[in-house]
Amino acid sequence: MKDDRLLQLGQKIRYERLKKGFSQEDLEEKSLVSRRTISEIERGNADIRYTNLYQIANALDMSVSELLDFNL
């Protein structure tokens, strides 16, 4: 059973990535997080590392707190 918080985070990352018009490959290049890891995170299959969270947030021009705000 997947953790709902990881699913929410993955959905938020995917939403923000698509909103910016980025492919997973684009996000990989900008964040230096592998496309495979991004895919796993977006599907809620991976517990995201703290450093990856920061790298993805920076690549999306967001703060970590904005990325973790699921009320938007």
Side-chain angles (χ1 to χ4, degrees):
M1 187 168 171
K2 294 182 184 180
D3 186 314
D4 286 341
R5 296 167 296 185
L6 293 177
L7 284 170
Q8 279 187 302
L9 178 57
Q11 290 171 351
K12 178 78 179 266
I13 290 171
R14 183 174 190 274
Y15 171 80
E16 295 296 340
R17 174 178 63 77
L18 293 174
K19 189 167 84 171
K20 295 202 180 299
F22 294 168
S23 66
Q24 287 183 344
E25 289 80 11
D26 295 331
L27 187 55
E28 173 185 35
E29 186 178 305
K30 294 177 182 306
S31 68
L32 303 177
V33 175
S34 76
R35 190 206 56 78
R36 181 176 180 195
T37 299
I38 291 167
S39 176
E40 291 291 316
I41 291 167
E42 287 186 357
R43 290 187 319 227
N45 291 336
D47 196 352
I48 189 168
R49 289 179 30 195
Y50 185 71
T51 53
N52 288 347
L53 183 62
Y54 268 91
Q55 288 170 254
I56 290 171
N58 286 334
L60 294 171
D61 293 322
M62 301 177 74
S63 68
V64 171
S65 61
E66 289 173 314
L67 198 56
L68 294 174
D69 184 358
F70 305 131
N71 295 319
L72 300 175

